[in-house]
Amino acid sequence: MKILVCFKTVPDLEMLSEEDWAVDSNLAVDVSFVKNILNCFDESALEMTLKLSEYSESFNESLTLTALTIGDKKAEMFLKTLYALKFQKAVRIENNEDVRFFPEVIAAVIAQYVEKINNQDVVVLGRQSGEGDNAKTPLLVAEMLGWPCITQVINIEPSQEERLRVTSMVEGGTLIQVIDTPCVLSVGNAPVSYLRVPTLKDKMSYGKRAIEVLNINVFNIASLLNKCYHEYQLIGLEKISNHRAGILIEGATTAEKAKKLYDHYLKERLEKQ
Amino acid sequence: MSLTREQIVEGLVKILGSDKVITDKQVLQESSIDRFRKYEDVCGVYTQPLPAAVVYAESTEEIAAVLKFANDNTINIVPRTGRSATEGGLETVVENSVVLDGSRMNKILNVDTYNMMVTCQCGVSLEVLDDMLREQGYTTAHSPQSKPLAQMGGLVATRSIGQLSTLYGGIEDMVVGMETVFPNGEITRIKNVPRRATGPDIRHVIIGNEGALCYITEVTVKIFKYRPENNIFLGYTLESMKTGFEILREVMVEGYRPSVARLYDPEDGEYYFSHFAEGKCVLVFMVEGPKAIAEVSAKEIENIVQKHAECEKVNSQLIKTWFENLNWDPKKIAEEIDEIAQTQNIGFTTEVSGNWDVIYDIYEACCNRVREEIPDITMMGGHSSHSYMNGTNMYFMYYYNLVDITPEEEITKYHYPINKIIVEETIKAGGSMVHHHGVGKHRTHWIKEEYTSSYYILETLKKAFDPNGIMNMGTIIPIKK
């Protein structure tokens, strides 16, 4: 089974101080001074796929894993890590355009890669990135490929006969489905949230393979990109105030304060559980 | 005859009252270790003897009473405040120990902006203290990575050092005077004066004692003017650590005193600097103080660096952003626990020091050996972060995957062998096996090699001040078996 995991690297916005959130004349916040990290949902998708690959071996089925990202050269250190973690192929699609808010463009590139360059059985993506927050790319990829899409995926396991057992969050619970491929899986808020770490030996043995670099211009997206530039325009940025309300519990002693906390705020919640 | 657990608790309740004596199992388990055994904590497996109780003292007199009770009944006391220890200093290795917690002694007693010092109880949080001082235009200038967690008593007890040490020194350079309680209940005060030549400087018997001689209840430290508007950040990428050490040396020897002077190797730097220095070493300076001095220092340090062709200057905002994200707070620690549990990858540090003529050899030998000899290693690197006229430190960082082990084997399979390599290579080269975390309980094995003939002085101090052996046994000096 061939599985493509698409991931995005994003600036670590937690590193920005209050004063760094200044909007410049181009309506942009300068994030060039912070390091890049894996988008959190994509990190879950990558680790989930590695776990699936391990489990599949016990089913005597081997997976072919490809990692793909669209971006500049900064993403290559992540691709090298994925090579060291035994991904068979690492692909970077060179792009210096700002496509954060154009998921149609990203989805078109991924769909064309799967259709024309490297056929796959499964495409796994994080549901959204903290940068664009569009939450559209997996659905658009599925639509363009004409494949079914499962959203809010939190676990993937092997099943028999080229099928996958997929767990996803649905309203009020979780849903487990055994599905046929091809399919698109959109990874949500999964319990697996960190990517494993390769050993130095694996970095030396596997991490130095050449990354396949394709230019975004080889994909047929010029007219789509133009359309996006004309249809969407950023007209303003406003800071959201995130102040949280707080209550000071008054009391003569610690015990009195603890009792008030329990009686007024905790008791009812604990009883519901 | 020694007391039973129940008798110990009963005695403590008589002294302190029941609300200050905690015997809850989970509290005892979590209080039996520090961050050296963080993997056991992640797994919820606690292998150390559980203390009989954790007690919270609220005054110097209560500390004295508890110590006297322990001394009379030979009960091991583990002193603690902020609980940020990393070297096993808080482990309760002796059966029925009592953890004596001073974190409720958290009053700032006097801010003296004329004589430039602040007096506070041992449980005052460094971050709280420094934030309060900064509002008034002053600072302690002490800024260890543990600043959001650490408290004043523990910082002095472990000979802590901060990120601004190259200008302001370690805590030993900042302490003016102290109040201390010895195991027999004797309360002593060292008065606050700028200098004295009245015999040996007895502050240094107490600073760095790691709770193995006495309990620090109050400290007075220097304060400095806080002028962040004058801070200038400088950063460079370069190819080799050897060149980096040479530049650090030249900056120090020529008499410049940046507050921050750091040199990262590519492995350690990858975590912080991968967005602009992938595969390269990074040299960082921050200069501060009066504007004119800061500007001249920055200019002259730049001149020194520019003589080395391999150094490329980077945008100073990159360094400022890095510096603002350096400290560890409770949120980062909680995230780390989750990450370890998921990835089964864990990291630790070992910090040593050496003179200029050996520091590169120590760095190279330790990195090479750990990479070659330790299984499942995922990262081995380090940085120099505190420089002096004679040499500098190396702060080794290492991570490994935990493969086929029980929680307690994490230490024997990985952590001890790495510590052993670093300590042995450092001592062999003539360096010091501990730069600023303290000896704790896991580097005591090499204490005699570290001290050589001066071990006589250390051992005599222990015998003199703690004749019954009740103060944090197994810390600094190993327990005789």
Side-chain angles (χ1 to χ4, degrees), chain A residues 15 33 35 193 197 200, chain B residues 271 317 325 331 342 377 401:
Chain A
M15 287 181 74
F33 302 119
K35 63 177 183 169
S193 54
V197 185
L200 288 179
Chain B
Y271 179 77
Q317 180 66 34
N325 285 276
K331 182 170 171 265
Q342 282 193 36
I377 194 97
N401 284 336

Side-chain angles (χ1 to χ4, degrees), chain B residues 429-441:
Chain B
S432 174
M433 68 170 185
V434 185
H435 178 261
H436 63 267
H437 284 176
V439 179
K441 294 190 174 71

Side-chain angles (χ1 to χ4, degrees), chain B residues 54 56 58 102 120 149 219 268 311 317 340 343 429:
Chain B
V54 175
Y56 288 88
E58 293 180 6
C120 52
L149 310 167
V219 297
D268 190 13
C311 296
Q317 180 66 34
I340 292 166
T343 61

Side-chain angles (χ1 to χ4, degrees), chain B residues 15 57-67 105 179 181 187 217:
Chain B
I15 297 167
E58 293 180 6
S59 68
T60 301
E61 289 68 30
E62 286 185 348
I63 297 274
V66 172
L67 289 186
M105 295 173 65
E179 180 190 73
V181 185
I187 299 170
T217 48

Side-chain angles (χ1 to χ4, degrees), chain B residues 191-251:
Chain B
K191 66 184 175 185
N192 301 323
V193 291
R195 190 178 186 271
R196 68 210 102 195
T198 52
D201 191 339
I202 51 175
R203 288 175 301 177
H204 296 284
V205 174
I206 296 161
I207 300 170
N209 87 84
E210 298 185 39
L213 298 179
C214 54
Y215 200 111
I216 299 164
T217 48
E218 182 190 304
V219 297
T220 299
V221 290
K222 294 172 191 170
I223 58 173
F224 302 85
K225 282 210 157 183
Y226 181 55
R227 289 175 280 219
E229 66 278 8
N230 297 339
N231 292 357
I232 300 172
F233 294 89
L234 301 169
Y236 304 86
T237 61
L238 63 164
E239 298 301 324
S240 86
M241 288 291 280
K242 204 163 196 168
T243 306
F245 285 127
E246 282 304 317
I247 294 170
L248 285 178
R249 181 185 172 277
E250 203 174 333
V251 166

Side-chain angles (χ1 to χ4, degrees), chain B residues 324-340:
Chain B
E324 287 168 352
N325 285 276
L326 207 48
N327 285 349
W328 276 70
D329 56 19
K331 182 170 171 265
K332 275 190 183 171
I333 287 185
E335 286 170 356
E336 185 200 29
I337 289 169
D338 192 25
E339 189 168 357
I340 292 166

Side-chain angles (χ1 to χ4, degrees), chain A residues 160-196:
Chain A
Q160 287 167 341
E161 297 174 359
E162 295 275 305
R163 289 173 170 169
L164 294 174
R165 186 181 150 90
V166 178
T167 308
S168 58
M169 302 281 287
V170 291
E171 203 174 336
T174 54
L175 175 69
I176 299 174
Q177 305 172 77
V178 175
I179 58 158
D180 288 323
T181 58
C183 64
V184 172
L185 302 178
S186 168
V187 172
N189 200 6
V192 171
S193 54
Y194 291 102
L195 182 65
R196 66 191 63 188

